[in-house]
Amino acid sequence: MRAACRITALARKAAADAVRPGVTTGEIDRVVRRTIEEAGAKPSFLGYAGFPGSACISINDEVIHGIPSEKRVVREGDIVKVDVGAYFGGYHGDCACTVPCGEVSEEARRLIDVTRQSFYEGIKFAREGYRVSDISAAVQAYVEKNGFSVVRNYVGHGVGENLHEAPEVPNFGQPGHGMRLQRGMTLAVEPMVNAGVYAVKVLPDGWTVKTNDGKLSAHYENTIAITDGEPEIMTNIDGEVL
């Protein structure tokens, strides 16, 4: 599991490094696939329920599940969400980040920062004996305190031998509910945060999810393990987390 997660983190970093004005999302996708395959792993997303890419690459008001394309060009000021997974040794890793392309607006920068920090606020409660919704409530409280909203239609999840496993890990809700966390559980915690309302819609391609109001969205995710103490962030590169 740690090996799969490290490869996944390498792919996320390679994708983030590839973001620049003029690059296509198809080019970024090829970087992800090459990084994963050169490490001896397989892209978890490629072919998953028919998904055509090795990464989900979503821009600006696209929340998640954007399909990579040679026609989609990243431009200065865009914010680019990259979600990747790698399958190695019978286990999956899963992680995501939001990357600013060049100079972005102050709102975009703050949205990215709040989304990332909301993950860390949530995993303060990713400890043995707490419940899943304790993570959820902490994410929501931090996001809403900062004037943004959390997506309700899509959630985090267990991850391991399968890319998506129980339990679901929402980014909203009241504390004290859901499965009790136990040592050895591995979870993908992934706040999806909108600058406007939390409502979203799926485009006709059947995959890409966008905000209803056309405002920006950000996404941040790591695979974590519940331990007998602090949670372990597994999607890291030699201890460093993007």
Side-chain angles (χ1 to χ4, degrees):
M1 188 83 184
R2 288 189 179 95
C5 286
R6 185 177 189 277
I7 295 166
T8 306
L10 287 169
R12 174 174 60 180
K13 184 178 188 306
D17 290 345
V19 171
R20 65 182 187 280
V23 73
T24 68
T25 57
E27 289 176 285
I28 298 171
D29 187 68
R30 288 198 298 277
V31 168
V32 168
R33 182 170 184 173
R34 183 170 63 248
T35 302
I36 292 171
E37 291 181 343
E38 286 179 352
K42 295 180 180 179
S44 298
F45 298 174
L46 186 60
Y48 183 83
F51 188 76
S54 296
C56 298
I57 305 175
S58 313
I59 300 176
N60 295 335
D61 62 337
E62 296 168 353
V63 184
I64 50 172
H65 300 165
I67 299 173
S69 169
E70 298 304 328
K71 296 180 180 179
R72 189 70 189 276
V73 178
V74 178
R75 305 192 184 282
E76 178 87 14
D78 286 344
I79 63 172
V80 182
K81 281 130 283 182
V82 180
D83 191 357
V84 301
Y87 182 68
F88 181 82
Y91 293 91
H92 293 271
D94 192 5
C95 64
C97 66
T98 302
V99 185
C101 182
E103 293 297 320
V104 300
S105 69
E106 178 58 32
E107 179 188 48
R109 174 61 68 181
R110 200 168 74 84
L111 177 65
I112 293 169
D113 291 345
V114 167
T115 302
R116 186 178 190 276
Q117 185 58 35
S118 72
F119 164 84
Y120 287 97
E121 297 298 319
I123 67 167
K124 290 177 181 177
F125 299 89
R127 299 175 66 103
E128 195 170 25
Y130 282 93
R131 293 189 180 272
V132 167
S133 73
D134 297 328
I135 299 172
S136 311
V139 170
Q140 181 181 15
Y142 183 79
V143 167
E144 293 181 352
K145 181 180 74 174
N146 282 278
F148 298 128
S149 62
V150 291
V151 172
R152 310 293 179 92
N153 301 59
Y154 300 89
V155 298
H157 51 90
V159 57
E161 292 182 351
N162 298 296
L163 182 58
H164 293 99
E165 299 180 349
E168 290 189 342
V169 186
N171 297 302
F172 65 96
Q174 296 298 314
H177 298 281
M179 185 179 291
R180 194 173 293 281
L181 301 175
Q182 298 178 36
R183 192 182 320 177
M185 293 175 67
T186 48
L187 307 173
V189 178
E190 52 176 318
M192 291 155 271
V193 179
N194 294 347
V197 300
Y198 64 74
V200 297
K201 58 188 176 186
V202 181
L203 295 189
D205 65 20
W207 284 102
T208 308
V209 178
K210 296 184 72 168
T211 59
N212 265 11
D213 56 12
K215 292 188 177 181
L216 296 175
S217 184
H219 183 201
Y220 187 74
E221 175 186 22
N222 282 299
T223 298
I224 68 166
I226 306 301
T227 73
D228 58 356
E230 295 292 326
E232 176 185 345
I233 299 177
M234 302 178 77
T235 38
N236 68 78
I237 304 169
D238 302 328
E240 295 296 321
V241 183
L242 184 65

